[in-house]
Amino acid sequence: MARIAYDAATAASFKAVREIPRGGMDAWEDAVRRHLNPSAGMTIVDIGAGTGAFAAAFCDWFATKVVAVEPSEAMLALIPERPGLRIRAGHAASLPLPDTCADAAWLSTVTHHIPDLAAAAQEIRRVLRPGAPVLIRNAFAGRYERLRIVHWFPETTRLLDTYPSVEETCEAFAAAGFAPTALEPVPQADIASLAEFLERADALRAADTLMRSLTEEEFARGKEQLRAAAAAPEAPTGADLTSSLDLLVLR
Ligand SMILES: C[S@@+](CC[C@H](N)C(=O)[O-])C[C@H]1O[C@@H](n2cnc3c(N)ncnc32)[C@H](O)[C@@H]1O
């Protein structure tokens, strides 16, 4: 069971305000390229692919084959078509794929939704070829100093602290024979100004697990601070507006 229901309304909000515009994904393209060394013909399994932003990007950037696996029908329906992209219903502990068929697994902002991470790790082991990496893009408990959402809505740490930590994630994957090889924060440029962030706040509250965890009062307080900062003459611009999630790589 995911922490929120990815129904049609949530899926539409997610597509509108959670997907990073392609121009803001450069650092992620670079990081995945460095750790995966992709080549045409490789198969990446995107687990919990959502609306397919990364699945489509991998096809476009690397010309790899991608299998997007997603449990929510509403999210899955919004995945764009691409040559080389197959879309499948399924979840992390039950992947609709044969043994040793894939060259990498990608999980983006999914690990905190998976009820049994150790079972998922075993299933990922089954479908990956020996030596293939697992790339996890996520916020982890205790590591949120570069998260914009925490800066403006600090009470989101209440829920963030219940997400699997890096240590817990490594432990779950160790039991399936994976060891960590890298951990790095990777920035994304998904907003052009604080005013834009403020504009999106209500829709984000509908589409984001962390924003949903706030009380009305906490949400209103964060928005008020954002409004004041957005109107200030020294409001941040450019790189100061980026937010980072961690990339954890295991092999
Ligand atoms: C925050 S969204 C991330 C979507 C996409 N990976 C991205 O980064 O744009 C989390 C996704 O995980 C999916 N999900 C929830 N539980 C899952 C599970 N047990 N296995 C795989 N995916 C799951 C949800 O349906 C949702 O689409």
Side-chain angles (χ1 to χ4, degrees), residues 7-249:
D7 54 16
T10 305
S13 301
F14 189 95
K15 184 106 191 148
V17 293
R18 288 281 311 278
E19 281 193 2
I20 311 168
R22 190 61 69 81
M25 291 170 112
D26 291 356
W28 280 101
E29 178 183 358
D30 173 67
V32 174
R33 196 182 288 282
R34 276 188 286 109
H35 291 289
L36 181 60
N37 194 17
S39 57
M42 268 188 172
T43 297
I44 303 174
V45 190
D46 183 351
I47 299 168
T51 51
F54 280 98
F58 294 154
C59 293
D60 296 345
W61 292 335
F62 309 137
T64 52
K65 294 179 213 149
V66 177
V67 185
V69 178
E70 169 55 46
S72 153
E73 271 181 37
M75 296 292 269
L76 188 145
L78 299 180
I79 299 177
E81 288 185 10
R82 285 290 190 284
L85 173 58
R86 283 181 291 152
I87 302 167
R88 297 281 181 272
H91 60 86
S94 176
L95 297 170
L97 292 168
D99 296 356
T100 58
C101 66
D103 303 288
W106 169 257
L107 296 96
S108 167
T109 59
V110 174
T111 53
H112 52 284
H113 290 298
I114 297 175
D116 185 343
L117 202 49
Q122 295 289 351
E123 179 65 345
I124 292 169
R125 177 70 282 160
R126 182 185 70 75
V127 304
L128 286 190
R129 298 198 170 97
V134 181
L135 296 99
I136 299 178
R137 169 182 180 268
N138 227 86
F140 293 95
R143 285 176 61 89
Y144 31 70
E145 54 284 346
R146 295 181 183 82
L147 278 177
R148 180 196 309 123
I149 201 170
V150 172
H151 180 82
W152 296 104
F153 300 95
E155 296 86 359
T156 50
T157 57
R158 199 170 47 223
L159 189 67
L160 258 175
D161 280 332
T162 71
Y163 282 22
S165 65
V166 169
E167 294 72 22
E168 287 163 344
T169 306
C170 290
E171 204 174 301
F173 278 82
F178 293 99
T181 57
L183 175 66
E184 60 178 275
V186 181
Q188 60 200 43
D190 49 358
I191 53 164
S193 65
L194 284 186
E196 185 186 329
F197 188 37
L198 178 63
E199 245 172 62
R200 288 191 197 182
D202 290 318
L204 268 176
R205 185 143 161 82
D208 187 289
T209 310
L210 291 171
M211 292 291 271
R212 281 194 186 192
S213 72
L214 298 171
T215 65
E216 286 305 324
E217 193 190 342
E218 291 163 351
F219 180 56
R221 192 163 50 236
K223 270 187 25 174
E224 205 37 61
Q225 277 161 10
L226 251 181
R227 192 170 289 116
E234 71 282 11
T237 54
D240 289 343
L241 291 167
T242 62
S243 186
S244 296
L245 287 177
D246 281 314
L247 175 62
L248 172 64
V249 184

